[in-house]
Every structure is written in structure tokens, then in C-alpha cells.
Amino acid sequence: MSNVLVTGGAGYIGSHTTKLLLRAGHKPIVLDSLELGHPAVFKFLPGATLVQGNTGDDQIVRETLKKYEIDAVVHFAAYASVPESVGNPEKYYVNNIAKSLTLLNAVKDAGIKKVIFSSSAATFGEPQYTPIDEDHPQKPTNPYGQTKLDFEHILKWYDVAYGIKSTWLRYFCAAGADPEGELGEDHTPETHMIPLSLFAALGKRPDIKMFGLDYPTEDGTGVRDYIHVTDLASAHVLALGALNGGAQTNYYNLGNGKGYSVKQVIDTARDVTGLPIKAVEAPRRPGDPAVLVASSEKITKELGWKPQYGDLPTMIRTAFEWFRTHPKGYADK
Ligand SMILES: NC(=O)c1ccc[n+]([C@@H]2O[C@H](COP(=O)([O-])OP(=O)(O)OC[C@H]3O[C@@H](n4cnc5c(N)ncnc54)[C@H](O)[C@@H]3O)[C@@H](O)[C@H]2O)c1
């Protein structure tokens, strides 16, 4: 059992992970500014403690680490919009690097030696081959991906100098919602493909835009690897178990190894919901690669990770159930 500080635990992936940490017998202390997160998630996370605060607030961080005798940190708190980061890199460097570093220095001073970090497929940039494994070159094409790569490097050197062991999990596209229907995805603004398709199905938006129909893929639309948020969450529990068992600093890609095109996602959303979805053609967005598919062989082999909700219809069905039953999201703001 670990006392785990979960930064960003009131957000989408953080709340699903907190649920599984509780189930695995750990004691999660969530540090979240609630700028983007949702206090309503705690109704479904009995046993988790919320500390409302910022990773950049040195005093709150240090007090929290001490008060709750934290022995491991799962660090989700970050901004995560690629287009926003291109327009406003300062916002991303300040939050994802400077504030994360305030957290990490407090972790170091408290003598905590275990950190799990939310990294991203965005660290790889334009794929040179597919599926993308851990040895693929990392050349981010936007500030968001760069901040994630920079923090991986910071963690590497904090191990060399201070012995902090860390696991960097590079997620591909997180999707779906808690299969028990308690937690879901409530981002404002929403930018992800599956929620936007479902909003079009539910009449919350007039249509879904398909950016680029001239990619060198089977149907001309971009291909992405989707991973169910609960499968992502379970990878964090395994990573924590490995660190508790003495694992060295390591890094893993997390996807399903299967790519789905934009058209396939929309068609599957039509099948799953039984509702019409109007799809509209739009030009390519700069920096969007044609295909992004992960190899997750390493985490499968080394940590025994096994996705339970890896098929696209299940991801879409769980997301749809949550959006259908929560037409205004958590409605807690
Ligand atoms: N969603 C994806 O598909 C995806 C893919 C790759 C990587 N990631 C990474 O996973 C992590 C979680 O993503 P998400 O989709 O759950 O995002 P989210 O916005 O739902 O959750 C992030 C949470 O962090 C909190 N937060 C942000 N900055 C903070 C700070 N300085 N101090 C305290 N709290 C802060 C927000 O209030 C929010 O609750 C992020 O680090 C993101 O970069 C997400």
C-alpha cells in the first residue's frame, strides 16, 4: 500500500486512475487546482483526499507531501492542447515545466523516490516508422510535446543525481469512460475526436469535422491509436507496483497497436449510437501526422499490462453512455 500523491487527479485520466489506485488498496491524495478538473469526481472516489492547490505552489506541495506521508507521486497535472501550445508556448512551459519542477524539487527534498509521469505520443513528432516503439526518435513538432520530452529528460537526470526512480508513460489517444458509468470525459473546450463525434450524434454540435481527406491512408483520413482510459489507468497501477518492487527508471508507450481512421471512428460511432452523424470535410491541420500507432509490446512484456477495453466499439460505447447520462458533463462548475 502506498500513500500516492496524484497531481491532476480531478481530471479525465487522473480520476479514472485514482479509482483503480483505491481499488488496488493504495491511498490517493489528489493535488488539483480544479482549473480544469472536477470536484464532482470525488463522489465516486471514497477514500481519496482532495487538496485543492497548484503544483507550482511550493508551500502547499511541501505541506501535503509531509502531512500525508507521501511515498510515491503520479503526475498528471499539465495543460494538454497541441494547438493552444503552438499559439501560447509560455503557458505550456510555465505549467508543464516550471510548476512541475517546483513539485519535483519538493519531492526530492522530501526524500520521495518514486514518480510516474504522464508523457505523450506528442514527444515523437512525425513518425519515421509505424508502429512507434520506445526506440523511435523523439522530435516533437509543437511546444506541448516538447514540454513532455523535456520533463522526461529532467526525470532522467533527477535519477542520476538524486536516485528518484520514475516511469514515463507515453499515452496515445485516451478515449472512453469508466465502464461503471461513474466517471467520464468533461473537457472545456473539447478537442478530442470521439467526444466530438458523439456530441454530433447527440445534437450538441451540428457536425464533426474531418481534417484532411488526402492522407496516404486507406480512406484518406488520418489514423490514430485509441486507448481506453481505464486501460491507461491500470498501466499506472502496474507501474507503481513495479516501482514499489524496486524497478529502475523506465519508459513505455501505451496504445492498442491498432490504428483507426477518422472515417472509421465516425462510422463506428454511428453504429454504436444508432444515430446519424453529419461529417464535414475540412483541410488538413498543420502538424497532424497521417498515422500514429503505438507498439505497446514493451509494457506488455515487462509489466504484464493487458488492455481489457481495447476495441473501438467498447471505447465509443462507454463514452456514449456517459455523455448520454451526463448531458451537461459533471455540471459542477
Ligand atoms: N487525454 C489524452 O489523450 C492525453 C494523451 C497523452 C498525454 N496526456 C497527458 O495526460 C495528463 C492528463 O490528461 P487529461 O486528458 O486527463 O487532462 P485533464 O485536463 O482532464 O486533467 C488535467 C488536470 O490537471 C489539473 N492541473 C493542470 N495544471 C495543474 C497545476 N499546475 N496544478 C494542479 N493541477 C493542475 C487540471 O485542473 C485537471 O484536473 C496530462 O499530463 C496530459 O498531457 C493526455
Side-chain angles (χ1 to χ4, degrees):
M1 201 269 268
S2 296
N3 295 340
V4 192
L5 184 78
V6 184
T7 74
Y12 172 48
I13 306 171
S15 59
H16 286 78
T17 302
T18 300
K19 183 168 181 171
L20 292 202
L21 286 169
L22 283 164
R23 196 158 287 173
H26 299 294
K27 190 168 169 20
I29 311 299
V30 169
L31 177 72
D32 199 299
S33 62
L34 298 183
E35 180 191 344
L36 304 170
H38 295 278
V41 301
F42 292 96
K43 189 173 149 206
F44 306 106
L45 302 173
T49 302
L50 169 66
V51 176
Q52 185 174 355
N54 201 295
T55 53
D57 184 333
D58 192 54
Q59 194 184 342
I60 286 193
V61 172
R62 284 175 194 267
E63 279 171 11
T64 306
L65 296 178
K66 196 167 165 208
K67 177 171 175 191
Y68 295 99
E69 299 176 358
I70 298 296
D71 46 49
V73 176
V74 187
H75 182 36
F76 292 102
Y79 294 142
S81 160
V82 167
E84 186 186 50
S85 77
V86 175
N88 190 356
E90 177 186 0
K91 181 173 176 182
Y92 280 70
Y93 278 100
V94 168
N95 200 36
N96 297 4
I97 298 291
K99 293 186 178 180
S100 291
L101 207 44
T102 300
L103 168 82
L104 189 60
N105 287 331
V107 163
K108 166 182 79 69
D109 292 345
I112 297 162
K113 301 290 185 201
K114 291 168 274 187
V115 174
I116 297 169
F117 170 57
S118 298
S119 189
S120 169
T123 59
F124 292 112
E126 192 62 41
Q128 296 180 9
Y129 57 84
T130 193
I132 296 175
D133 58 19
E134 286 76 4
D135 299 326
H136 187 286
Q138 287 175 293
K139 292 186 180 158
T141 51
N142 53 67
Y144 166 66
Q146 187 68 53
T147 62
K148 292 290 175 181
L149 180 57
D150 291 348
F151 206 70
E152 287 189 358
H153 291 163
I154 289 170
L155 286 169
K156 179 180 82 175
W157 293 114
Y158 271 56
D159 180 8
V160 173
Y162 312 122
I164 296 175
K165 304 298 170 200
S166 58
T167 311
W168 324 331
L169 299 176
R170 299 172 184 149
Y171 321 150
F172 282 59
C173 299
D178 176 15
E180 290 165 357
E182 294 179 337
L183 304 169
E185 184 168 10
D186 185 354
H187 286 130
T188 307
E190 185 52 75
T191 56
H192 298 118
M193 179 67 204
I194 291 177
L196 292 176
S197 303
L198 295 173
F199 291 169
L202 289 163
K204 279 177 83 169
R205 292 173 74 102
D207 52 43
I208 171 84
K209 296 211 169 28
M210 300 184 291
F211 293 103
L213 281 98
D214 55 352
Y215 284 107
T217 59
E218 220 163 277
D219 63 21
T221 61
V223 169
R224 293 291 177 272
D225 189 337
Y226 295 90
I227 172 164
H228 193 280
V229 62
T230 299
D231 288 331
L232 267 184
S234 72
H236 293 74
V237 178
L238 290 170
L240 178 61
L243 287 174
N244 281 341
Q248 296 300 306
T249 291
N250 215 332
Y251 44 91
Y252 300 102
N253 293 356
L254 272 169
N256 274 299
K258 275 179 275 181
Y260 294 100
S261 73
V262 166
K263 280 190 173 167
Q264 281 174 317
V265 170
I266 297 169
D267 281 342
T268 310
R270 288 182 180 122
D271 285 350
V272 168
T273 61
L275 294 167
I277 297 174
K278 186 177 171 199
V280 176
E281 298 184 9
R284 286 187 190 197
R285 290 180 303 194
D288 266 355
V291 179
L292 269 182
V293 176
S295 162
S296 295
E297 266 179 41
K298 187 177 169 197
I299 192 163
T300 306
K301 265 196 209 130
E302 293 187 10
L303 300 189
W305 178 72
K306 234 185 173 164
Q308 275 190 66
Y309 308 101
D311 63 301
L312 186 63
T314 302
M315 288 188 242
I316 293 182
R317 186 179 47 73
T318 54
F320 182 60
E321 273 313 299
W322 199 79
F323 289 133
R324 200 178 55 75
T325 51
H326 299 76
K328 295 191 167 137
Y330 286 110
D332 58 351
K333 291 201 162 170

